[in-house]
Amino acid sequence: MTEYTTVSIPKELGDRVEETIEGTSFSSTSDLVRFLLRSIVIQHQRRGELTEAEFEEIADQLADLGYLD
């Protein structure tokens, strides 16, 4: 059985995520967060490390999508 942990985000961000995922294959905020975190972790594992530039690029992309302020 898979164990889970809770990640808290501001309600305003959660509302924005809910609006963003409408009409997509993501059924919940949790689904999207898992997808994004897995993507980052997989990229890190494939290359052995994320450079500062790569991390900044990911952060910029998430900010452009409204997930980071």
Side-chain angles (χ1 to χ4, degrees), residues 22-35:
E22 284 183 27
T24 70
S25 62
F26 298 107
S27 61
S28 67
T29 300
S30 293
D31 283 347
L32 178 64
V33 170
R34 275 192 296 273
F35 171 79

Side-chain angles (χ1 to χ4, degrees), residues 21-62:
I21 64 174
E22 284 183 27
T24 70
S25 62
F26 298 107
S27 61
S28 67
T29 300
S30 293
D31 283 347
L32 178 64
V33 170
R34 275 192 296 273
F35 171 79
L36 293 171
L37 289 175
R38 279 188 187 122
S39 297
I40 292 168
V41 168
I42 288 168
Q43 183 177 7
H44 171 74
Q45 289 174 333
R46 285 184 181 157
R47 294 187 177 170
E49 65 179 62
L50 281 176
T51 66
E52 185 67 27
E54 290 169 327
F55 182 82
E56 290 296 324
E57 181 181 344
I58 291 167
D60 289 344
Q61 291 171 353
L62 292 173

Side-chain angles (χ1 to χ4, degrees), residues 13-27:
L13 177 57
D15 293 343
R16 289 169 55 190
V17 170
E18 288 296 323
E19 291 173 9
T20 301
I21 64 174
E22 284 183 27
T24 70
S25 62
F26 298 107
S27 61

